[in-house]
Amino acid sequence: MALVKVKDILKHATEHKYGVAAINTINVETIKYAILAAEQEKVPLIVQFYPGFSDYMALKYISYTACDMAHKVSVPIGVHLDHSNSFDIAVSGIRDGFPSVMVDGSSLPYDENVALTKAVAKVARVFGVDVEAELGHVGSGENLDDIIDASRYTNVDQAVGFVEKTGCDALAVAVGNAHGPYVKTPNLDFQRIAELRAAVSVPLVLHGCSDIPEEQIREAVNLGMSKFNIATEYFRAMYRSFENTIVNGNVKDNGIGLLEAAKEDMIAFVVDKIRLLNPNKFSL
């Protein structure tokens, strides 16, 4: 199966009622361990990268590494650039080889978000690149209003028009979710998810999935959410593996050894997320 278009993976997930783990990565090991988990479970997975880390790792290196690894495995792997908040960043992702990019104009007024997303989609179509957009404010988990203020959630009627006007391939929505650690346990708006799924023609994306209670994640899958972004918990799993390895004295004075020692813990973390997102036990 190898490298597969993100929109095709998400369409398949929507039709077969499972969720796709979209794992944020930062280097070779984080990409490799996520892909190995997907191959073990025999389900599709999306590897993605946040462009805010481009000073640490250039976009072209991440895209090349992820695409190359994807070509060598037996399960469908998508490669995606997460949260490009400008035209230039999104187009740089296209230039640097990402088969899918997100353009995030959600902090802009509606009409400006439409214009930005439409402009990126126009360029992306030339190169056969998929586009994820966002409507509604998916803010910070450390800001209580971003979690509980329903006026910041995605408007269903607006979402229908937004997808039609922009031609985006997937839509990230705000339904009580937020990025990073949560100051308060989130309570997803399931009625809104169901209404969005019934009204919108493209797959739906849930950002900020780290630390959302498992029962809420399962319900979101069953209501038709297709892509689940996971970053905070994955990096936390890596850190805690390093910490345990050092405290237990299993590796000393060896950074490479730490990365290698984290392999099983990080694979296990992604496997658990894949299984959580697959309540109906789909398998290729």
Side-chain angles (χ1 to χ4, degrees):
M1 298 297 293
L3 182 65
V4 175
K5 290 181 74 63
V6 167
K7 70 177 181 181
D8 292 340
I9 290 174
L10 296 183
K11 181 181 177 183
H12 188 270
T14 305
E15 292 172 349
H16 291 84
K17 298 189 184 219
Y18 65 93
V20 181
I23 304 295
N24 276 64
T25 59
I26 191 66
N27 57 17
V28 170
E29 288 79 15
T30 52
I31 296 169
K32 179 180 179 180
Y33 299 159
I35 289 176
L36 287 173
E39 191 154 42
Q40 176 180 316
E41 292 300 295
K42 301 189 185 312
V43 295
L45 181 115
I46 295 167
V47 169
Q48 57 187 32
F49 180 71
Y50 172 54
F53 292 142
S54 60
D55 287 344
Y56 170 80
M57 181 69 71
L59 301 184
K60 63 182 178 180
Y61 299 138
I62 286 287
S63 66
Y64 177 85
T65 300
C67 290
D68 184 63
M69 288 185 180
H71 278 301
K72 296 173 181 175
V73 297
S74 60
V75 294
I77 301 294
V79 177
H80 176 72
L81 182 65
D82 191 24
H83 275 293
S84 304
N85 60 10
S86 72
F87 178 85
D88 289 347
I89 294 173
V91 171
S92 70
I94 295 170
R95 176 200 65 201
D96 287 339
F98 280 90
S100 176
V101 299
M102 179 195 183
V103 55
D104 180 8
S106 63
S107 63
L108 301 172
Y110 176 81
D111 289 342
E112 293 180 31
N113 190 359
V114 168
L116 172 61
T117 304
K118 189 174 181 179
V120 171
K122 183 177 180 179
V123 175
R125 294 291 170 267
V126 175
F127 298 96
V129 170
D130 301 335
V131 174
E132 175 187 326
E134 181 171 314
L135 184 67
H137 181 68
V138 181
S140 168
E142 295 180 345
N143 184 347
L144 185 60
D145 286 342
D146 286 346
I147 306 169
I148 66 173
D149 184 356
S151 70
R152 305 183 186 197
Y153 296 0
T154 305
N155 179 283
V156 177
D157 292 333
Q158 276 192 339
V160 174
F162 184 87
V163 170
E164 291 174 351
K165 291 174 182 177
T166 63
C168 63
D169 299 297
L171 185 67
V173 296
V175 289
N177 51 310
H179 298 107
Y182 287 96
V183 69
K184 177 180 184 293
T185 301
N187 287 297
L188 299 182
D189 187 338
F190 296 123
Q191 180 177 345
R192 193 175 302 248
I193 293 174
E195 291 173 355
L196 285 163
R197 180 64 283 150
V200 174
S201 60
V202 298
L204 299 177
V205 181
L206 191 71
H207 286 229
C209 292
S210 294
D211 298 326
I212 293 177
E214 291 189 355
E215 62 273 16
Q216 293 190 40
I217 293 289
R218 290 191 193 95
E219 182 65 10
V221 173
N222 286 324
L223 288 173
M225 195 72 69
S226 300
K227 178 173 178 274
F228 292 76
N229 286 17
I230 300 164
T232 299
E233 281 186 301
Y234 189 46
F235 296 141
R236 184 189 300 150
M238 178 170 63
Y239 173 84
R240 287 181 176 170
S241 181
F242 290 169
E243 185 179 46
N244 290 336
T245 299
I246 292 168
V247 168
N248 292 328
N250 296 330
V251 174
K252 295 180 180 179
D253 299 327
N254 188 341
I256 295 173
L258 279 178
L259 289 169
E260 292 175 342
K263 177 180 179 180
E264 296 306 319
D265 289 338
M266 292 174 69
I267 290 175
F269 169 82
V270 179
V271 165
D272 285 346
K273 288 299 181 184
I274 288 171
R275 292 177 180 175
L276 173 63
L277 293 170
N278 192 16
N280 303 307
K281 302 191 184 304
F282 171 83
S283 180
L284 293 169

